[in-house]
Amino acid sequence: MLIFTLKRLVSLLFSLVAASVVVFFVIEIIPGDPAALMMGISASPEAVEELRQQLGLNLPIWQRYFTWVMGLLQWDFGISYTYKTPVSDLINDRIWVSLPLTIYALTLSTLIAFPVGIIAAANRNSKTDVGIMGATQLGIAVPNFWFAMILVLIFAVSLRWFSAGGFPGWEIGFFAGMKSLTLPAIALALPQASILARVMRSSLLDTLSEDYIRTARAKGLSKRQTLWRHALRNALIPVLTIIGLQFSFLLAGAIIIENVFFLPGLGRLVFQGITQRDLIVVKSVVMLLVFAVIVVTFIVDIAYGIADPRLRGNSVRGSAGE
Amino acid sequence: MELPIPGLGETASGAAPVSDSSDKIIAESGFFAIALKTPSFVIGLIFSVFFIFIALLSLYWTPYDVSVLEIGNRLKCPPFQAWIGGVDFPSAQNSWFEGWRCVANPLYGLGTDHFGRDVVSMIMVGSRTSIAVAIVAVGIGIILGVPLGLAAAARQGSFFDEFIMRTNDLVFAFPALLIAILITAVYGPSAINAIIAIGIFNIPVFARLSRGAALSLWTREFVLAARVAGKGRSRISVEHILPNILNLLIVQGTIQFSLGILAEAGLSYLGLGVQPPIPSWGRMLAEAQTLIFVAPHLAILPGLAIVLSVLGLNLLGDGLRDILDPKLRRNRS
Amino acid sequence: MKNLLTIKDLSLNIGETKILQDIDLEVNGGEILGVIGESGSGKSMSALAIMQLAPGGAKINGSIKFKGEELLKFSEKQMCELRGSEIGMIFQEPMSALNPVKTIGEQVAETVLIHSNVSKREAQQIAREVLERVELPSDEFPLNRFPHQLSGGQRQRVVIAMAIAHKPALLIADEPTTALDVTTQAQILKLLEKLVEEDGMGLILITHDLAVVAEVAKNVVIMQNGIVVEAGETLEVFSDLKHPYSKQLFAASNHVPKRVNRAKPDKEKPVLRASNILRQYPGRGGSFFKKSKPFTAVDKVSFYIAKGENVGLVGESGCGKSTLSRALLALDIMQGGIVHLDGETISAGKGANKGASRAARRKMQVVFQDPYGSFNPRHRVEKLVAEPFYLLDDPPRGIERRQRVEKALIEVGLNAADADKYIHEFSGGQRQRVAIARALIIEPALIILDEAVSALDVSIRAQILDLLAQLSDKRGISYLFISHDLSVVRAITDRVLVMRDGVIVEEGESQSVFANPQHPYTKQLLGAVPDIEKALAARRMQQA
């Protein structure tokens, strides 16, 4: 298990370095002169030159890259060009909207998908199963931002149970904060829950056709018991991968959903960064999101190793000849 | 935005790509005989054909010209909605139906937008954008991804293989939307950039799918027999591997197509995709958002178009998979 | 106990298909009943019917009486109480029969836990004892081992432990040794016999192997297409087979192809001469700092094959015989050694596919084990059979190609018109014929037959062996016949090589090696092979 973890750790570091090079390359090298890009065509050459100085663009590429990476390691992303404040302050504010929203959505998605997937698999080809499969097919086809608008139309505009958008801040209370994140979380979670339920179902059905399920039945376990005791844990192994992947899609999805609900999160920050051509903000937030995705992938890999003893790599081969 | 997710159980990547029994069944009863008994295929095909027909039709004819603005005729709701809103419920005040009261123009079946353009025509023209972006993006994915995947599988364990797989993992760490954001941040928003962003994401999807399927084929005895017959890696890849993963590619292509439509809609919604005045479903929704209190039909109808087309393509893909690989049908109805 | 299980007029239909018809059989406590049949005979389905684990949609009629009670009237709940406690079952494939994420201790203890009112600790204690009984001692196999840490034979022992943990009155074993090597098979059979004797348990042993039944079973039932064609006391049945099918089965399992007009293999002119072939794999495991030793799969092996000679290569799984064949075919690299093949050379060191020239490849072809995986399903037979023409500098085209393919098909007993078919239109035995046609078409000097008949039923196997013998006699082709099945090797080869742990431990004329093995491993191997004649002779001795 230790070697397994160490190997994963090495590949984690490799991915992080590679990702940072890509982000740096795309933002700082491809555009030619980022300063000119940020200031637009109407800017005076002097002003552009000043910004170049300020951004350190006259330094060699590798030195710029290392300065940036060293800054990242100390949670120092530089000064925002439009906000004129440290980007780290902006991120510190907004991360407390985006992170709870993502976790909220992931929890909802899992809580919906697991029972639904299990029920469908346990009653395969029944009317319930067909109904659930149809519903999830629809759930996958619904764009989450449109679903968000429909939710606003029903629960905010017509029923007035929730506000149509905005975030009051955590200062006014945990539940008030959660309430304002509820519609966005549902909008994010529904399509993911549909996918997850389908994966759960098919993984469970695959597992239920394995030989060891028949062995368990021959032992005297009932169908229900085999499902809970033998099939479920094995079926969860591939599902785990999908949950990990969904984290990254929820993060990306949050960029859109935050815009639908006018939530002051990272997604809105990066979106505003684009419209205002604030490359420093864009670069920092993109890197942060990619960082989160890579770290979650790493955690999933480790969880995989815990769930599946075959991957731990401490296998002692049975004596030969037997 | 629903994004392409690789190996989701929605793909058949783990399965053996050659299905002896399916060949047998299809050869004996004919493709269409089986296809017509597969409900998801039939429904999916009807939806998809309708959607493509609408797009083609819009090239020659739409009920109204979408480039003509008629401010006087703006924000008319569909006659159907006006009828519901017009019903006089006793407690209509503050009720569900409050927002549905509106003025309709019977000449416009689905109403008009804030510039007085016909919504039916807008949706028809918008479908063109969706199809074009999604097809080109899937094309990029297949043209670049499949050869890379096949080449990686042919040299399994080599440095090249390792490099391809690591690069794939790296691209997967950037959700398509982030790629799009990076690209638009530098080049500015445009349809081309949306296509590139979605297309880049499709490359590793197809590379990974074809590599996985090819790897399991490379261990098959018929490939060994071809090697004994002295055939080289590239010849075997083209002659023996590719024909046997074609089914998988068609199924995955359909699914990526539908995901491309969703992705394009999401990007256009954010204003990072197709630019005005070209109509697109995503942007129609973005524009409708501020008018959601006054004209809810504008927020509902383009979304329904997205849902139906994506649903149709997904059902088509599912149906195709069921027909081409009965082993999967068992579990993935 | 008399009449532990009595089955009368058992029929089983799935939809319109009749799987079983009017099956009668009877098992007593402390006795072994052998059920013999080829694939599709319904032998496994009968077992599942007793357990009532037949696939959904199966309709069962007749009577299954266990300890005097009618099982077909039992509810699912009653059956759950019965399964594992009164009737245990073990299956063919030990590699997948255990839950990979649970320890062997948990899985054995589970049988006890569901059926009796004991604490977890007591159940673990019982599990420990049962594992000792199936000869998995506690110091080497603690309860917290996971299945993937055990070999196939060890896993089968765990499966047996699970089945007998609650001391069932009846045990059903469905091909329990088919996936195992012969020496492991002998051990497992001995273990089952011991358990039957000690516990007074009844055992239904389902197998395709007549010799296994002849060795261990008191009574025997022979099935074909869902019907019992022959039943009775083992010795009586085998001494006087009545039904044509069982006669045919018996003949096929001892089948030795007739050799006609055969030129004597010329030892002065070897077709193949392999010297010091070495194949190593990088070591697995090890740590970050210490590289582990490489694993040597083939350790400097040398041998030759004369023109027209049929040489057998036998050994158990993991002995290196497949690795050796891949190295010979240049499908894989060798780290050392050289192969001379009818004037051409295949040398070590270079990458796979490059080690052998086209000229060398032209001299040899191969037939693989799996008749279902050996052909590209997208190509027609003509294209499949013609594939080796790629090796010729001037390959025949058009009509000429077609004629050559048709000729080859006819030669292997198929029709010329079969060239237009796709491979899914053929049965397993026919596919092996197509594979042989493909190997023959460029008239190689040597054909490597890699477990080429192992996947076939005995009667089909006999036909394919006849075909191979006939082709070799007529054309003077040499064979390297690789197999784990000693009886098949004995039937068709002139000379045999016995391989173990990457080394050839014994070599000699087939007749003399089988009659009088020299190396202790060869002796052990031959001793483990169930022999029908010997077993019957022993029974006669006992009775007399």
Side-chain angles (χ1 to χ4, degrees), chain C residues 227-509:
Chain C
I227 299 172
V228 173
V229 295
E230 198 118 27
E233 204 271 327
T234 305
L235 187 56
E236 278 171 30
V237 168
F238 279 124
S239 311
D240 181 22
L241 289 166
K242 294 197 174 66
H243 196 275
Y245 174 73
S246 33
K247 281 182 190 166
Q248 182 206 332
L249 201 62
F250 189 81
S253 69
N254 281 326
H255 183 75
V256 177
K258 266 199 210 107
R259 315 302 298 241
V260 279
N261 298 333
R262 185 156 183 229
K264 204 159 167 30
D266 187 353
K267 293 210 170 142
E268 298 307 308
K269 282 191 229 154
V271 161
L272 173 115
R273 180 178 288 283
S275 326
N276 292 318
I277 294 182
L278 179 71
R279 177 72 178 104
Q280 290 179 320
Y281 292 102
R284 254 189 244 176
S287 67
F288 258 29
F289 313 103
K290 205 183 83 193
K291 242 193 168 173
S292 58
K293 268 196 348 207
F295 170 70
T296 306
V298 177
D299 193 0
K300 296 192 180 152
V301 164
S302 306
F303 66 99
Y304 72 95
I305 299 174
K307 184 166 173 16
E309 194 181 24
N310 300 167
V311 174
L313 176 63
V314 295
E316 297 185 294
S317 53
C319 75
K321 57 187 193 301
S322 304
T323 315
L324 179 60
S325 83
R326 289 174 64 93
L328 292 175
L329 287 164
L331 288 174
D332 213 345
I333 51 165
M334 305 183 261
Q335 271 83 15
I338 192 156
V339 179
H340 294 284
L341 183 68
D342 207 20
E344 305 292 335
T345 340
I346 302 167
S347 50
K350 295 175 195 165
N353 272 348
K354 285 176 195 148
S357 62
R358 280 156 58 85
R361 289 193 180 281
R362 221 172 280 161
K363 305 284 186 185
M364 65 181 163
Q365 280 296 308
V366 63
V367 176
F368 293 109
Q369 172 175 4
D370 180 12
Y372 294 88
S374 292
F375 303 97
N376 187 339
R378 305 270 175 262
H379 293 168
R380 285 178 201 278
V381 166
E382 180 180 352
K383 194 169 177 190
L384 293 172
V385 171
E387 185 157 44
F389 281 150
Y390 184 73
L391 286 167
L392 302 183
D393 294 327
D394 182 24
R397 285 170 218 285
I399 294 195
E400 197 197 342
R401 179 176 103 153
R402 172 76 183 196
Q403 282 170 342
R404 293 270 299 266
V405 169
E406 286 181 358
K407 203 176 135 233
L409 288 174
I410 291 165
E411 196 153 12
V412 298
L414 296 170
N415 299 320
D418 289 335
D420 291 324
K421 292 186 181 163
Y422 285 98
I423 198 66
H424 64 251
E425 298 172 58
F426 296 90
S427 70
Q430 288 172 323
R431 290 181 197 206
Q432 268 335 48
R433 287 176 192 270
V434 177
I436 294 168
R438 173 170 64 188
L440 279 178
I441 198 149
I442 50 165
E443 299 177 347
L446 172 72
I447 296 183
I448 295 180
L449 299 154
D450 191 353
E451 302 275 6
V453 296
S454 302
L456 305 173
D457 275 329
V458 276
S459 34
I460 309 288
R461 173 185 301 181
Q463 294 167 14
I464 298 291
L465 286 177
D466 278 342
L467 172 66
L468 288 170
Q470 177 208 329
L471 289 170
S472 174
D473 293 350
K474 202 167 96 189
R475 296 230 197 154
I477 304 176
S478 310
Y479 292 147
L480 177 61
F481 200 100
I482 299 172
S483 181
H484 70 282
D485 187 335
L486 284 91
S487 60
V488 172
V489 172
R490 182 181 201 165
I492 195 166
T493 62
D494 309 306
R495 204 150 51 82
V496 65
L497 314 168
V498 182
M499 195 167 180
R500 186 195 191 184
D501 296 340
V503 180
I504 291 178
V505 295
E506 184 161 357
E507 178 191 348
E509 299 291 323

Side-chain angles (χ1 to χ4, degrees), chain A residues 134-148:
Chain A
T136 52
Q137 193 66 268
L138 196 63
I140 291 173
V142 172
N144 58 17
F145 62 92
W146 180 67
F147 185 55

Side-chain angles (χ1 to χ4, degrees), chain A residues 30 144 146 191 199 201 206 260, chain B residues 1-2 8 187 289 299 331:
Chain A
I30 291 180
N144 58 17
W146 180 67
V199 175
R201 172 182 178 275
D206 281 347
V260 178
Chain B
M1 174 167 71
E2 189 56 43
L8 248 191
Y187 294 104
Q289 200 181 347
N331 293 350

Side-chain angles (χ1 to χ4, degrees), chain A residues 3 6 211-212 214-215 217-222 225 229-230 233-234 237 307 309-310 312 314-319 322, chain C residues 51 53 76 80 83-84 91 93 96-102 107 110-111 114-115 146 148-149 151 153-154 157 162 184:
Chain A
I3 291 176
L6 280 176
D211 280 356
Y212 56 78
R214 193 180 52 180
T215 316
R217 291 276 285 146
K219 255 187 213 177
L221 290 170
S222 68
Q225 281 171 319
R229 291 197 200 174
H230 289 273
R233 188 161 156 210
N234 282 288
I237 294 172
R310 284 166 297 184
R312 280 175 222 162
N314 59 346
S315 83
V316 186
R317 283 266 144 211
S319 53
E322 221 288 9
Chain C
M51 293 295 269
L53 288 175
E76 171 62 19
C80 280
R83 289 183 205 124
F91 302 95
E93 197 36 78
S96 55
L98 293 170
N99 188 336
V101 303
K102 291 198 165 194
Q107 298 192 52
E110 191 177 30
T111 311
I114 354 172
H115 294 298
F146 283 100
H148 71 275
Q149 298 169 318
S151 71
Q154 290 159 353
R157 286 171 191 271
M162 282 164 55
T184 317

Side-chain angles (χ1 to χ4, degrees), chain C residues 120-196:
Chain C
K120 261 208 162 134
R121 253 193 115 134
E122 288 166 296
Q124 296 247 320
Q125 189 58 41
I126 296 172
R128 187 63 269 162
E129 286 160 18
V130 180
L131 284 172
E132 300 281 348
R133 281 196 76 196
V134 298
E135 291 147 28
L136 295 174
S138 58
D139 48 342
E140 242 189 292
F141 303 98
L143 292 179
N144 60 8
R145 278 288 156 91
F146 283 100
H148 71 275
Q149 298 169 318
L150 307 180
S151 71
Q154 290 159 353
R155 288 189 210 188
Q156 195 63 303
R157 286 171 191 271
V158 176
V159 176
I160 294 174
M162 282 164 55
I164 63 158
H166 203 258
K167 298 215 183 240
L170 177 68
L171 183 63
I172 303 171
D174 188 359
E175 302 263 13
T177 57
T178 308
L180 305 174
D181 280 327
V182 273
T183 47
T184 317
Q185 159 167 306
Q187 291 163 5
I188 295 284
L189 286 175
K190 207 171 277 167
L191 171 68
L192 287 172
E193 276 186 290
K194 185 188 92 177
L195 293 171
V196 166

Side-chain angles (χ1 to χ4, degrees), chain A residues 166-199:
Chain A
F167 183 72
W170 294 107
E171 304 83 48
I172 63 156
F174 177 74
F175 287 103
M178 288 302 272
K179 192 181 168 194
S180 64
L181 292 182
T182 297
L183 286 188
I186 293 174
L188 270 175
L190 177 97
Q192 301 299 333
S194 302
I195 293 173
L196 202 57
R198 291 176 78 87
V199 175

Side-chain angles (χ1 to χ4, degrees), chain B residues 163-329:
Chain B
F163 176 74
I164 294 292
M165 291 325 287
R166 292 296 135 247
T167 316
N168 270 354
D169 290 347
L170 190 62
V171 178
F172 276 129
F174 294 79
L177 193 62
L178 279 189
I179 297 179
I181 284 174
L182 272 178
I183 291 177
T184 43
V186 176
Y187 294 104
S190 76
I192 302 289
N193 291 344
I195 289 173
I196 291 173
I198 302 167
I200 286 180
F201 197 85
N202 274 332
I203 298 172
V205 170
F206 283 100
R208 194 176 273 199
L209 178 74
S210 35
R211 177 179 176 273
L215 277 185
S216 80
L217 285 171
W218 271 99
T219 65
R220 296 286 285 263
E221 289 175 338
F222 70 82
V223 172
L224 293 181
R227 289 178 60 194
V228 170
K231 292 184 175 168
R233 292 176 191 278
S234 14
R235 179 174 275 270
I236 290 176
S237 290
V238 174
E239 218 170 87
H240 288 291
I241 310 283
L242 190 60
N244 283 300
I245 65 170
L246 219 54
N247 282 351
L248 277 185
L249 293 178
I250 293 171
V251 170
Q252 193 63 35
T254 323
I255 291 168
Q256 293 306 120
F257 188 8
S258 77
L259 291 171
I261 292 174
L262 280 172
E264 187 275 329
L267 289 177
S268 298
Y269 172 80
L270 284 181
L272 306 179
V274 180
Q275 295 303 300
I278 305 167
S280 115
W281 292 344
R283 234 202 24 267
M284 287 169 76
L285 286 173
E287 285 162 4
Q289 200 181 347
T290 47
L291 301 164
I292 199 161
F293 295 91
V294 231
H297 71 278
L298 291 178
I300 295 173
L301 297 171
L304 275 182
I306 298 174
V307 172
L308 292 182
S309 55
V310 172
L311 185 66
L313 284 164
N314 279 339
L315 287 173
L316 185 67
D318 266 19
L320 273 175
R321 182 176 52 213
D322 289 352
I323 296 163
L324 297 174
D325 198 344
K327 261 182 294 180
L328 292 173
R329 169 168 19 188

